[in-house]
Amino acid sequence: MSKQQFPIQDDLNESQLDRDWFIQNLVYLANRRIGLGVTLTLGGQIVTGQLISGQRYFELLKEQFSNLSDVDEINELMSFFFDNQMKVYDNPESIGSEKTSYIHLENAKVIGAQGSIPTNDTFLWRGKISSISGISVGSLSAAN
């Protein structure tokens, strides 16, 4: 992708004022499999993790839930469900940065007054860009 092909979003219309154009551009990159660590503030909490594409988010959910049951029909239904969710991301070029409304993280941690939840590295998180009040590029990690 050349610099000329990157549709930088910096001219906002009235309906986009609730979504940060910088975050939308980071999600645009993530939807092309270019992710990085981010730390977000929203609703009095901090969320930190690795930015991933929407498609990757649903692929990982499918892996986690497609063998949930001993009943094959339920597993097939779960697999079908997540496959359908991924279809939105089949053509990332059709999803311009101005259309992005959600951000997806893997290895996410939610940090609040009570500490960090969860403590494992497999937690997936999805949030509305319009709910984010701040962002830092880079993810937080525990002190050694």
Side-chain angles (χ1 to χ4, degrees), residues 3 14 31 36 43 60 73:
K3 290 181 185 177
E14 195 66 29
N31 283 333
L36 57 144
L60 292 169
E73 291 81 20

Side-chain angles (χ1 to χ4, degrees), residues 72-129:
D72 288 340
E73 291 81 20
I74 292 174
N75 293 333
E76 289 172 17
L77 180 63
M78 294 301 289
S79 182
F80 178 76
F81 173 79
F82 289 114
D83 283 341
N84 279 332
Q85 306 311 304
M86 283 187 270
K87 287 182 182 180
V88 171
Y89 300 96
D90 280 350
N91 182 8
E93 295 307 317
S94 69
I95 306 171
S97 63
E98 75 283 354
K99 294 181 182 177
T100 57
S101 297
Y102 288 88
I103 186 169
H104 303 90
L105 304 178
E106 70 176 333
N107 303 328
K109 296 200 183 330
V110 179
I111 303 166
Q114 307 301 322
S116 176
I117 304 169
T119 57
N120 65 26
D121 287 336
T122 60
F123 187 67
L124 297 171
W125 184 87
R126 172 181 164 100
K128 289 175 70 171
I129 292 173

Side-chain angles (χ1 to χ4, degrees), residues 46-77:
I46 296 171
V47 179
T48 189
Q50 184 72 25
L51 188 59
I52 59 173
S53 71
Q55 184 171 32
R56 181 68 181 145
Y57 173 84
F58 287 110
E59 287 171 356
L60 292 169
L61 278 178
K62 179 181 172 181
E63 288 175 18
Q64 288 180 4
F65 290 101
S66 62
N67 292 315
L68 187 64
S69 173
D70 293 336
V71 180
D72 288 340
E73 291 81 20
I74 292 174
N75 293 333
E76 289 172 17
L77 180 63

